[in-house]
C-alpha cells in the first residue's frame, strides 16, 4: 500500500517500507524523486528546516553546514 505524507513544498512517499522524497524543481517545476531512509523521512516531517536539510543531503550527499543555515 502506498502512503503519501505532505510537507511544505515536498512530499514523502512510502511504499512497501521504501521511502522517497519529492519536490518540484527547475524552471518548469518538474518533480524530482530521491530514495531516503525511514529516519530521514521522519526527520523531513519534523520541521521545514529539517526537510530542507534532508533535501540538501539527498542532492549533494553531504549534510549542510549548520553555521551556513543560520
Amino acid at each position: 500500500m502506498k502512503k503519501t505524507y505532505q510537507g511544505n513544498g515536498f512530499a514523502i512517499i512510502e511504499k512497501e517500507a521504501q521511502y522517497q522524497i519529492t519536490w518540484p524543481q527547475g524552471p518548469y517545476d518538474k518533480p524530482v524523486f530521491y530514495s531516503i531512509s525511514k529516519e530521514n523521512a521522519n526527520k523531513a516531517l519534523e520541521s521545514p528546516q529539517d526537510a530542507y536539510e534532508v533535501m540538501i543531503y539527498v542532492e549533494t550527499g553531504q549534510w549542510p553546514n549548520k553555521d551556513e543555515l543560520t
Side-chain angles (χ1 to χ4, degrees):
M1 184 169 142
K2 180 177 165 181
K3 293 181 186 178
T4 303
Y5 305 94
Q6 294 293 324
N8 187 9
F10 71 96
I12 302 287
I13 301 166
E14 175 187 0
K15 185 176 180 184
E16 299 175 8
Q18 303 270 333
Y19 295 85
Q20 286 186 318
I21 188 168
T22 181
W23 67 89
Q25 191 174 58
Y28 301 107
D29 284 338
K30 183 178 177 182
V32 293
F33 296 86
Y34 294 93
S35 294
I36 59 173
S37 67
K38 181 178 181 178
E39 292 80 14
N40 283 341
N42 291 336
K43 178 180 175 68
L45 294 170
E46 288 178 13
S47 73
Q49 182 63 42
D50 287 322
Y52 173 75
E53 290 177 16
V54 171
M55 287 189 266
I56 294 297
Y57 176 73
V58 298
E59 284 189 304
T60 66
Q62 296 181 355
W63 290 102
N65 184 339
K66 296 282 186 180
D67 294 335
E68 295 174 356
L69 295 175
T70 56

Short mmCIF file of all heavy atoms in Angstrom, two decimals:
data_model
loop_
_atom_site.label_atom_id
_atom_site.label_comp_id
_atom_site.label_asym_id
_atom_site.label_seq_id
_atom_site.Cartn_x
_atom_site.Cartn_y
_atom_site.Cartn_z
N MET A 1 0.84 -1.18 0.00
CA MET A 1 0.00 0.00 0.00
C MET A 1 0.89 1.25 0.00
O MET A 1 1.90 1.31 0.68
CB MET A 1 -0.88 -0.01 1.24
CG MET A 1 -1.84 1.13 1.28
SD MET A 1 -3.03 0.83 2.61
CE MET A 1 -3.20 2.45 3.23
N LYS A 2 0.50 2.22 -0.76
CA LYS A 2 1.27 3.45 -0.90
C LYS A 2 0.67 4.52 0.00
O LYS A 2 -0.54 4.73 0.02
CB LYS A 2 1.22 3.90 -2.35
CG LYS A 2 1.96 5.15 -2.66
CD LYS A 2 1.89 5.42 -4.16
CE LYS A 2 2.29 6.81 -4.49
NZ LYS A 2 2.19 7.10 -5.92
N LYS A 3 1.54 5.20 0.77
CA LYS A 3 1.10 6.31 1.61
C LYS A 3 1.90 7.54 1.21
O LYS A 3 3.08 7.45 0.89
CB LYS A 3 1.38 6.03 3.09
CG LYS A 3 0.57 4.91 3.67
CD LYS A 3 0.92 4.75 5.14
CE LYS A 3 0.24 3.53 5.73
NZ LYS A 3 0.61 3.34 7.14
N THR A 4 1.24 8.69 1.23
CA THR A 4 1.90 9.96 0.92
C THR A 4 1.73 10.90 2.09
O THR A 4 0.62 11.08 2.59
CB THR A 4 1.30 10.59 -0.36
OG1 THR A 4 1.43 9.65 -1.43
CG2 THR A 4 2.02 11.87 -0.73
N TYR A 5 2.83 11.50 2.52
CA TYR A 5 2.82 12.47 3.60
C TYR A 5 3.20 13.82 3.00
O TYR A 5 4.26 13.95 2.38
CB TYR A 5 3.84 12.09 4.68
CG TYR A 5 3.64 10.69 5.21
CD1 TYR A 5 4.34 9.62 4.67
CD2 TYR A 5 2.74 10.43 6.25
CE1 TYR A 5 4.17 8.33 5.14
CE2 TYR A 5 2.56 9.14 6.72
CZ TYR A 5 3.27 8.10 6.17
OH TYR A 5 3.09 6.82 6.64
N GLN A 6 2.33 14.80 3.15
CA GLN A 6 2.56 16.12 2.59
C GLN A 6 3.34 17.00 3.55
O GLN A 6 3.04 17.05 4.74
CB GLN A 6 1.22 16.81 2.26
CG GLN A 6 0.44 16.13 1.16
CD GLN A 6 1.13 16.24 -0.18
OE1 GLN A 6 1.77 17.23 -0.52
NE2 GLN A 6 1.02 15.19 -0.98
N GLY A 7 4.34 17.67 3.02
CA GLY A 7 5.09 18.66 3.78
C GLY A 7 4.90 20.01 3.12
O GLY A 7 4.09 20.17 2.21
N ASN A 8 5.66 20.97 3.55
CA ASN A 8 5.59 22.31 2.99
C ASN A 8 6.49 22.39 1.76
O ASN A 8 7.69 22.64 1.87
CB ASN A 8 6.02 23.34 4.05
CG ASN A 8 5.81 24.76 3.60
OD1 ASN A 8 5.20 25.00 2.57
ND2 ASN A 8 6.31 25.70 4.36
N GLY A 9 5.93 22.13 0.59
CA GLY A 9 6.69 22.18 -0.66
C GLY A 9 7.33 20.87 -1.05
O GLY A 9 8.10 20.82 -1.99
N PHE A 10 7.04 19.80 -0.33
CA PHE A 10 7.59 18.49 -0.65
C PHE A 10 6.60 17.42 -0.20
O PHE A 10 5.62 17.71 0.47
CB PHE A 10 8.95 18.27 0.05
CG PHE A 10 8.83 18.10 1.55
CD1 PHE A 10 8.80 16.83 2.10
CD2 PHE A 10 8.73 19.19 2.38
CE1 PHE A 10 8.67 16.66 3.47
CE2 PHE A 10 8.62 19.03 3.75
CZ PHE A 10 8.58 17.77 4.29
N ALA A 11 6.89 16.18 -0.57
CA ALA A 11 6.07 15.05 -0.12
C ALA A 11 7.00 13.87 0.13
O ALA A 11 8.05 13.74 -0.49
CB ALA A 11 5.02 14.68 -1.16
N ILE A 12 6.58 13.02 1.07
CA ILE A 12 7.26 11.77 1.34
C ILE A 12 6.32 10.66 0.88
O ILE A 12 5.15 10.65 1.23
CB ILE A 12 7.54 11.59 2.86
CG1 ILE A 12 8.38 12.74 3.41
CG2 ILE A 12 8.17 10.23 3.12
CD1 ILE A 12 9.82 12.74 3.01
N ILE A 13 6.84 9.75 0.08
CA ILE A 13 6.07 8.62 -0.41
C ILE A 13 6.62 7.35 0.23
O ILE A 13 7.82 7.09 0.16
CB ILE A 13 6.15 8.52 -1.94
CG1 ILE A 13 5.63 9.81 -2.58
CG2 ILE A 13 5.37 7.30 -2.45
CD1 ILE A 13 5.96 9.95 -4.04
N GLU A 14 5.72 6.60 0.86
CA GLU A 14 6.10 5.32 1.47
C GLU A 14 5.39 4.21 0.72
O GLU A 14 4.17 4.23 0.56
CB GLU A 14 5.69 5.28 2.94
CG GLU A 14 5.94 3.96 3.61
CD GLU A 14 5.37 3.86 5.02
OE1 GLU A 14 4.77 4.83 5.50
OE2 GLU A 14 5.54 2.79 5.62
N LYS A 15 6.15 3.24 0.25
CA LYS A 15 5.58 2.10 -0.46
C LYS A 15 6.42 0.87 -0.12
O LYS A 15 7.63 0.85 -0.41
CB LYS A 15 5.57 2.33 -1.96
CG LYS A 15 4.88 1.23 -2.74
CD LYS A 15 4.81 1.56 -4.22
CE LYS A 15 4.13 0.44 -4.96
NZ LYS A 15 4.13 0.67 -6.40
N GLU A 16 5.81 -0.11 0.51
CA GLU A 16 6.46 -1.36 0.87
C GLU A 16 7.75 -1.12 1.65
O GLU A 16 8.81 -1.66 1.32
CB GLU A 16 6.71 -2.20 -0.39
CG GLU A 16 5.44 -2.57 -1.11
CD GLU A 16 5.71 -3.30 -2.42
OE1 GLU A 16 6.87 -3.65 -2.71
OE2 GLU A 16 4.73 -3.53 -3.16
N ALA A 17 7.68 -0.28 2.67
CA ALA A 17 8.81 0.05 3.56
C ALA A 17 9.96 0.75 2.84
O ALA A 17 11.07 0.80 3.34
CB ALA A 17 9.30 -1.18 4.30
N GLN A 18 9.71 1.29 1.66
CA GLN A 18 10.68 2.10 0.92
C GLN A 18 10.16 3.54 0.94
O GLN A 18 8.96 3.77 0.83
CB GLN A 18 10.79 1.62 -0.52
CG GLN A 18 11.16 0.17 -0.67
CD GLN A 18 12.65 -0.03 -0.74
OE1 GLN A 18 13.38 0.85 -1.15
NE2 GLN A 18 13.10 -1.19 -0.31
N TYR A 19 11.07 4.49 1.05
CA TYR A 19 10.68 5.89 1.15
C TYR A 19 11.34 6.71 0.06
O TYR A 19 12.49 6.46 -0.32
CB TYR A 19 11.10 6.46 2.52
CG TYR A 19 10.38 5.82 3.67
CD1 TYR A 19 10.83 4.63 4.23
CD2 TYR A 19 9.22 6.39 4.19
CE1 TYR A 19 10.16 4.03 5.28
CE2 TYR A 19 8.56 5.80 5.24
CZ TYR A 19 9.02 4.63 5.78
OH TYR A 19 8.35 4.04 6.83
N GLN A 20 10.58 7.69 -0.43
CA GLN A 20 11.09 8.65 -1.40
C GLN A 20 10.66 10.04 -0.95
O GLN A 20 9.58 10.21 -0.37
CB GLN A 20 10.53 8.43 -2.79
CG GLN A 20 11.07 7.25 -3.52
CD GLN A 20 10.55 7.21 -4.96
OE1 GLN A 20 9.38 7.46 -5.20
NE2 GLN A 20 11.43 6.89 -5.89
N ILE A 21 11.52 11.02 -1.24
CA ILE A 21 11.14 12.40 -1.04
C ILE A 21 11.04 13.03 -2.43
O ILE A 21 11.83 12.71 -3.32
CB ILE A 21 12.13 13.15 -0.13
CG1 ILE A 21 11.60 14.55 0.21
CG2 ILE A 21 13.52 13.20 -0.73
CD1 ILE A 21 12.36 15.24 1.33
N THR A 22 10.05 13.88 -2.62
CA THR A 22 9.85 14.51 -3.92
C THR A 22 9.48 15.98 -3.72
O THR A 22 8.84 16.33 -2.73
CB THR A 22 8.77 13.78 -4.74
OG1 THR A 22 8.64 14.43 -6.02
CG2 THR A 22 7.43 13.74 -4.05
N TRP A 23 9.91 16.81 -4.67
CA TRP A 23 9.53 18.21 -4.67
C TRP A 23 9.70 18.75 -6.09
O TRP A 23 10.44 18.18 -6.88
CB TRP A 23 10.34 19.03 -3.66
CG TRP A 23 11.79 19.16 -3.95
CD1 TRP A 23 12.40 20.14 -4.70
CD2 TRP A 23 12.85 18.29 -3.54
NE1 TRP A 23 13.75 19.92 -4.76
CE2 TRP A 23 14.06 18.80 -4.04
CE3 TRP A 23 12.90 17.14 -2.77
CZ2 TRP A 23 15.28 18.19 -3.82
CZ3 TRP A 23 14.12 16.54 -2.56
CH2 TRP A 23 15.30 17.07 -3.06
N PRO A 24 9.01 19.84 -6.42
CA PRO A 24 9.16 20.43 -7.75
C PRO A 24 10.49 21.18 -7.85
O PRO A 24 10.91 21.84 -6.90
CB PRO A 24 7.97 21.38 -7.87
CG PRO A 24 7.57 21.68 -6.47
CD PRO A 24 7.99 20.51 -5.64
N GLN A 25 11.15 21.06 -9.01
CA GLN A 25 12.46 21.69 -9.16
C GLN A 25 12.63 22.16 -10.60
O GLN A 25 12.08 21.58 -11.52
CB GLN A 25 13.55 20.68 -8.80
CG GLN A 25 14.92 21.27 -8.68
CD GLN A 25 15.91 20.24 -8.19
OE1 GLN A 25 16.08 19.20 -8.81
NE2 GLN A 25 16.55 20.51 -7.08
N GLY A 26 13.41 23.20 -10.77
CA GLY A 26 13.74 23.70 -12.09
C GLY A 26 12.73 24.71 -12.59
O GLY A 26 11.73 25.02 -11.93
N PRO A 27 12.97 25.23 -13.78
CA PRO A 27 12.12 26.30 -14.30
C PRO A 27 10.68 25.86 -14.60
O PRO A 27 9.79 26.69 -14.63
CB PRO A 27 12.83 26.74 -15.58
CG PRO A 27 13.69 25.58 -15.96
CD PRO A 27 14.06 24.89 -14.68
N TYR A 28 10.47 24.56 -14.77
CA TYR A 28 9.13 24.07 -15.07
C TYR A 28 8.52 23.30 -13.91
O TYR A 28 7.51 22.62 -14.07
CB TYR A 28 9.15 23.20 -16.33
CG TYR A 28 9.66 23.96 -17.53
CD1 TYR A 28 10.91 23.69 -18.05
CD2 TYR A 28 8.89 24.96 -18.12
CE1 TYR A 28 11.40 24.40 -19.13
CE2 TYR A 28 9.38 25.68 -19.21
CZ TYR A 28 10.62 25.39 -19.71
OH TYR A 28 11.11 26.10 -20.78
N ASP A 29 9.16 23.39 -12.73
CA ASP A 29 8.68 22.68 -11.53
C ASP A 29 8.45 21.20 -11.78
O ASP A 29 7.48 20.61 -11.32
CB ASP A 29 7.41 23.33 -10.97
CG ASP A 29 7.70 24.62 -10.24
OD1 ASP A 29 8.85 24.82 -9.81
OD2 ASP A 29 6.77 25.43 -10.08
N LYS A 30 9.37 20.59 -12.51
CA LYS A 30 9.30 19.15 -12.75
C LYS A 30 9.62 18.42 -11.45
O LYS A 30 10.60 18.72 -10.78
CB LYS A 30 10.31 18.74 -13.82
CG LYS A 30 10.26 17.29 -14.18
CD LYS A 30 11.24 16.96 -15.29
CE LYS A 30 11.20 15.46 -15.55
NZ LYS A 30 12.16 15.08 -16.57
N PRO A 31 8.80 17.45 -11.03
CA PRO A 31 9.07 16.76 -9.77
C PRO A 31 10.33 15.90 -9.86
O PRO A 31 10.57 15.23 -10.85
CB PRO A 31 7.83 15.90 -9.54
CG PRO A 31 7.16 15.79 -10.86
CD PRO A 31 7.58 16.98 -11.67
N VAL A 32 11.12 15.97 -8.80
CA VAL A 32 12.29 15.11 -8.66
C VAL A 32 12.01 14.13 -7.52
O VAL A 32 11.27 14.44 -6.59
CB VAL A 32 13.58 15.92 -8.39
CG1 VAL A 32 13.95 16.75 -9.60
CG2 VAL A 32 13.45 16.78 -7.15
N PHE A 33 12.59 12.94 -7.61
CA PHE A 33 12.37 11.89 -6.62
C PHE A 33 13.71 11.36 -6.16
O PHE A 33 14.58 11.09 -6.98
CB PHE A 33 11.55 10.74 -7.23
CG PHE A 33 10.16 11.13 -7.64
CD1 PHE A 33 9.93 11.69 -8.89
CD2 PHE A 33 9.10 10.92 -6.79
CE1 PHE A 33 8.65 12.05 -9.28
CE2 PHE A 33 7.82 11.27 -7.17
CZ PHE A 33 7.59 11.84 -8.41
N TYR A 34 13.85 11.20 -4.85
CA TYR A 34 15.06 10.64 -4.27
C TYR A 34 14.67 9.59 -3.24
O TYR A 34 13.78 9.82 -2.41
CB TYR A 34 15.90 11.71 -3.56
CG TYR A 34 16.47 12.76 -4.48
CD1 TYR A 34 15.78 13.95 -4.72
CD2 TYR A 34 17.70 12.58 -5.10
CE1 TYR A 34 16.31 14.92 -5.56
CE2 TYR A 34 18.23 13.54 -5.95
CZ TYR A 34 17.52 14.71 -6.16
OH TYR A 34 18.05 15.67 -6.99
N SER A 35 15.36 8.47 -3.24
CA SER A 35 15.16 7.45 -2.21
C SER A 35 15.81 7.93 -0.92
O SER A 35 16.89 8.52 -0.94
CB SER A 35 15.80 6.12 -2.63
OG SER A 35 15.14 5.60 -3.75
N ILE A 36 15.11 7.70 0.20
CA ILE A 36 15.64 8.10 1.51
C ILE A 36 15.34 7.00 2.53
O ILE A 36 14.49 6.14 2.30
CB ILE A 36 15.06 9.44 2.00
CG1 ILE A 36 13.53 9.40 2.11
CG2 ILE A 36 15.50 10.59 1.11
CD1 ILE A 36 12.92 10.63 2.75
N SER A 37 16.04 7.07 3.64
CA SER A 37 15.80 6.12 4.73
C SER A 37 14.56 6.53 5.53
O SER A 37 14.10 7.68 5.44
CB SER A 37 17.01 6.09 5.66
OG SER A 37 17.15 7.33 6.34
N LYS A 38 14.06 5.61 6.31
CA LYS A 38 12.92 5.91 7.17
C LYS A 38 13.29 7.02 8.16
O LYS A 38 12.48 7.90 8.43
CB LYS A 38 12.49 4.65 7.93
CG LYS A 38 11.30 4.87 8.82
CD LYS A 38 10.87 3.60 9.51
CE LYS A 38 9.65 3.88 10.39
NZ LYS A 38 9.16 2.67 11.04
N GLU A 39 14.51 6.99 8.68
CA GLU A 39 14.96 8.01 9.61
C GLU A 39 14.95 9.39 8.97
O GLU A 39 14.50 10.37 9.59
CB GLU A 39 16.37 7.68 10.13
CG GLU A 39 16.42 6.45 11.02
CD GLU A 39 16.41 5.13 10.26
OE1 GLU A 39 16.62 5.11 9.02
OE2 GLU A 39 16.17 4.11 10.91
N ASN A 40 15.43 9.48 7.73
CA ASN A 40 15.41 10.77 7.04
C ASN A 40 14.00 11.20 6.66
O ASN A 40 13.70 12.39 6.64
CB ASN A 40 16.33 10.76 5.83
CG ASN A 40 17.78 10.87 6.21
OD1 ASN A 40 18.12 11.29 7.31
ND2 ASN A 40 18.66 10.47 5.31
N ALA A 41 13.12 10.25 6.39
CA ALA A 41 11.72 10.58 6.13
C ALA A 41 11.11 11.20 7.39
O ALA A 41 10.43 12.23 7.30
CB ALA A 41 10.94 9.34 5.71
N ASN A 42 11.35 10.59 8.53
CA ASN A 42 10.83 11.13 9.78
C ASN A 42 11.42 12.50 10.08
O ASN A 42 10.71 13.40 10.52
CB ASN A 42 11.10 10.17 10.93
CG ASN A 42 10.29 8.90 10.83
OD1 ASN A 42 9.24 8.87 10.21
ND2 ASN A 42 10.78 7.83 11.43
N LYS A 43 12.71 12.67 9.83
CA LYS A 43 13.37 13.95 10.08
C LYS A 43 12.76 15.04 9.20
O LYS A 43 12.48 16.14 9.67
CB LYS A 43 14.88 13.84 9.80
CG LYS A 43 15.66 15.14 9.96
CD LYS A 43 17.13 14.91 9.67
CE LYS A 43 17.93 16.20 9.69
NZ LYS A 43 18.06 16.83 10.99
N ALA A 44 12.52 14.73 7.93
CA ALA A 44 11.97 15.72 7.00
C ALA A 44 10.59 16.20 7.44
O ALA A 44 10.22 17.35 7.17
CB ALA A 44 11.90 15.14 5.59
N LEU A 45 9.85 15.35 8.11
CA LEU A 45 8.49 15.72 8.54
C LEU A 45 8.47 16.47 9.87
O LEU A 45 7.43 16.97 10.27
CB LEU A 45 7.62 14.47 8.62
CG LEU A 45 7.36 13.79 7.28
CD1 LEU A 45 6.70 12.43 7.47
CD2 LEU A 45 6.51 14.68 6.38
N GLU A 46 9.62 16.60 10.53
CA GLU A 46 9.67 17.27 11.83
C GLU A 46 9.52 18.79 11.72
O GLU A 46 8.84 19.40 12.54
CB GLU A 46 10.96 16.93 12.56
CG GLU A 46 10.98 15.52 13.08
CD GLU A 46 12.28 15.16 13.78
OE1 GLU A 46 13.09 16.08 14.08
OE2 GLU A 46 12.50 13.97 14.02
N SER A 47 10.18 19.40 10.73
CA SER A 47 10.12 20.86 10.59
C SER A 47 10.56 21.24 9.18
O SER A 47 11.24 20.45 8.51
CB SER A 47 11.03 21.54 11.61
OG SER A 47 12.39 21.37 11.26
N PRO A 48 10.21 22.45 8.74
CA PRO A 48 10.69 22.89 7.42
C PRO A 48 12.21 22.93 7.33
O PRO A 48 12.78 22.60 6.29
CB PRO A 48 10.10 24.30 7.28
CG PRO A 48 8.88 24.27 8.15
CD PRO A 48 9.24 23.39 9.32
N GLN A 49 12.89 23.30 8.42
CA GLN A 49 14.36 23.32 8.42
C GLN A 49 14.92 21.92 8.24
O GLN A 49 15.86 21.71 7.47
CB GLN A 49 14.88 23.95 9.71
CG GLN A 49 16.39 24.04 9.77
CD GLN A 49 16.96 24.95 8.69
OE1 GLN A 49 16.41 26.01 8.42
NE2 GLN A 49 18.05 24.54 8.07
N ASP A 50 14.36 20.94 8.95
CA ASP A 50 14.82 19.57 8.81
C ASP A 50 14.56 19.05 7.40
O ASP A 50 15.39 18.35 6.83
CB ASP A 50 14.14 18.66 9.85
CG ASP A 50 14.67 18.89 11.25
OD1 ASP A 50 15.89 19.12 11.40
OD2 ASP A 50 13.87 18.83 12.19
N ALA A 51 13.42 19.39 6.83
CA ALA A 51 13.11 18.97 5.45
C ALA A 51 14.14 19.55 4.49
O ALA A 51 14.64 18.85 3.60
CB ALA A 51 11.71 19.41 5.07
N TYR A 52 14.48 20.82 4.67
CA TYR A 52 15.48 21.46 3.82
C TYR A 52 16.82 20.73 3.92
O TYR A 52 17.47 20.48 2.91
CB TYR A 52 15.62 22.93 4.21
CG TYR A 52 16.74 23.63 3.50
CD1 TYR A 52 16.62 24.00 2.15
CD2 TYR A 52 17.94 23.92 4.15
CE1 TYR A 52 17.66 24.62 1.49
CE2 TYR A 52 18.98 24.55 3.49
CZ TYR A 52 18.83 24.90 2.17
OH TYR A 52 19.87 25.51 1.51
N GLU A 53 17.22 20.38 5.13
CA GLU A 53 18.48 19.67 5.33
C GLU A 53 18.48 18.31 4.63
O GLU A 53 19.47 17.94 4.00
CB GLU A 53 18.76 19.51 6.82
CG GLU A 53 19.09 20.81 7.51
CD GLU A 53 19.30 20.65 9.00
OE1 GLU A 53 19.50 19.52 9.48
OE2 GLU A 53 19.27 21.69 9.70
N VAL A 54 17.37 17.59 4.71
CA VAL A 54 17.27 16.29 4.05
C VAL A 54 17.35 16.47 2.53
O VAL A 54 18.02 15.71 1.83
CB VAL A 54 15.99 15.54 4.47
CG1 VAL A 54 15.77 14.30 3.60
CG2 VAL A 54 16.05 15.16 5.94
N MET A 55 16.68 17.50 2.00
CA MET A 55 16.72 17.74 0.56
C MET A 55 18.14 18.07 0.09
O MET A 55 18.58 17.58 -0.96
CB MET A 55 15.74 18.85 0.18
CG MET A 55 14.30 18.41 0.25
SD MET A 55 13.15 19.61 -0.43
CE MET A 55 12.71 20.51 1.03
N ILE A 56 18.86 18.88 0.85
CA ILE A 56 20.25 19.18 0.50
C ILE A 56 21.08 17.90 0.53
O ILE A 56 21.89 17.64 -0.36
CB ILE A 56 20.84 20.23 1.47
CG1 ILE A 56 20.14 21.57 1.31
CG2 ILE A 56 22.36 20.36 1.28
CD1 ILE A 56 20.29 22.21 -0.05
N TYR A 57 20.86 17.08 1.56
CA TYR A 57 21.62 15.84 1.70
C TYR A 57 21.40 14.90 0.51
O TYR A 57 22.35 14.35 -0.04
CB TYR A 57 21.25 15.14 3.01
CG TYR A 57 21.92 13.81 3.15
CD1 TYR A 57 23.29 13.73 3.43
CD2 TYR A 57 21.21 12.63 2.99
CE1 TYR A 57 23.92 12.50 3.54
CE2 TYR A 57 21.84 11.40 3.10
CZ TYR A 57 23.19 11.34 3.38
OH TYR A 57 23.81 10.12 3.48
N VAL A 58 20.14 14.71 0.10
CA VAL A 58 19.89 13.77 -1.00
C VAL A 58 20.42 14.29 -2.33
O VAL A 58 20.78 13.50 -3.19
CB VAL A 58 18.40 13.35 -1.11
CG1 VAL A 58 17.94 12.64 0.14
CG2 VAL A 58 17.50 14.52 -1.44
N GLU A 59 20.48 15.60 -2.48
CA GLU A 59 21.01 16.17 -3.72
C GLU A 59 22.53 16.13 -3.78
O GLU A 59 23.11 15.91 -4.84
CB GLU A 59 20.56 17.62 -3.88
CG GLU A 59 19.13 17.79 -4.30
CD GLU A 59 18.83 19.23 -4.65
OE1 GLU A 59 19.06 20.10 -3.80
OE2 GLU A 59 18.39 19.45 -5.78
N THR A 60 23.19 16.35 -2.64
CA THR A 60 24.65 16.53 -2.65
C THR A 60 25.42 15.38 -2.01
O THR A 60 26.62 15.27 -2.21
CB THR A 60 25.04 17.82 -1.91
OG1 THR A 60 24.73 17.68 -0.52
CG2 THR A 60 24.35 19.03 -2.49
N GLY A 61 24.74 14.60 -1.15
CA GLY A 61 25.43 13.54 -0.43
C GLY A 61 26.11 14.04 0.83
O GLY A 61 26.80 13.28 1.50
N GLN A 62 25.92 15.33 1.14
CA GLN A 62 26.51 15.91 2.34
C GLN A 62 25.45 16.70 3.10
O GLN A 62 24.61 17.37 2.49
CB GLN A 62 27.66 16.85 1.98
CG GLN A 62 28.81 16.16 1.32
CD GLN A 62 29.93 17.13 0.99
OE1 GLN A 62 29.81 18.34 1.18
NE2 GLN A 62 31.03 16.61 0.51
N TRP A 63 25.55 16.63 4.42
CA TRP A 63 24.65 17.44 5.25
C TRP A 63 25.11 18.89 5.19
O TRP A 63 26.30 19.15 5.16
CB TRP A 63 24.64 16.94 6.69
CG TRP A 63 23.96 15.61 6.81
CD1 TRP A 63 24.56 14.40 6.94
CD2 TRP A 63 22.55 15.36 6.77
NE1 TRP A 63 23.61 13.41 6.98
CE2 TRP A 63 22.37 13.98 6.89
CE3 TRP A 63 21.43 16.17 6.65
CZ2 TRP A 63 21.12 13.38 6.90
CZ3 TRP A 63 20.18 15.57 6.67
CH2 TRP A 63 20.03 14.19 6.78
N PRO A 64 24.16 19.82 5.15
CA PRO A 64 24.56 21.24 5.11
C PRO A 64 25.29 21.64 6.39
O PRO A 64 25.01 21.09 7.46
CB PRO A 64 23.24 22.00 4.95
CG PRO A 64 22.18 21.04 5.34
CD PRO A 64 22.71 19.67 5.14
N ASN A 65 26.19 22.58 6.26
CA ASN A 65 26.93 23.10 7.40
C ASN A 65 25.95 23.91 8.26
O ASN A 65 25.34 24.86 7.77
CB ASN A 65 28.07 23.98 6.90
CG ASN A 65 28.96 24.48 8.00
OD1 ASN A 65 28.58 24.54 9.16
ND2 ASN A 65 30.17 24.87 7.62
N LYS A 66 25.83 23.56 9.52
CA LYS A 66 24.90 24.24 10.42
C LYS A 66 25.19 25.73 10.52
O LYS A 66 24.27 26.52 10.66
CB LYS A 66 24.92 23.61 11.82
CG LYS A 66 24.45 22.20 11.87
CD LYS A 66 22.95 22.14 11.82
CE LYS A 66 22.49 20.70 12.02
NZ LYS A 66 21.07 20.56 11.97
N ASP A 67 26.45 26.14 10.43
CA ASP A 67 26.81 27.55 10.52
C ASP A 67 26.26 28.34 9.34
O ASP A 67 25.96 29.51 9.46
CB ASP A 67 28.32 27.72 10.59
CG ASP A 67 28.91 27.14 11.87
OD1 ASP A 67 28.17 27.06 12.88
OD2 ASP A 67 30.09 26.78 11.86
N GLU A 68 26.14 27.70 8.18
CA GLU A 68 25.64 28.38 7.00
C GLU A 68 24.12 28.50 7.00
O GLU A 68 23.56 29.27 6.24
CB GLU A 68 26.09 27.64 5.74
CG GLU A 68 27.58 27.65 5.54
CD GLU A 68 28.02 26.80 4.37
OE1 GLU A 68 27.17 26.13 3.75
OE2 GLU A 68 29.22 26.80 4.07
N LEU A 69 23.45 27.72 7.83
CA LEU A 69 21.98 27.72 7.84
C LEU A 69 21.39 28.83 8.69
O LEU A 69 20.24 29.18 8.53
CB LEU A 69 21.47 26.36 8.35
CG LEU A 69 21.80 25.17 7.46
CD1 LEU A 69 21.35 23.88 8.13
CD2 LEU A 69 21.18 25.31 6.09
N THR A 70 22.16 29.40 9.59
CA THR A 70 21.62 30.42 10.49
C THR A 70 21.85 31.80 9.98
O THR A 70 22.55 32.08 9.08
CB THR A 70 22.24 30.29 11.90
OG1 THR A 70 23.64 30.37 11.79
CG2 THR A 70 21.81 29.01 12.55
#
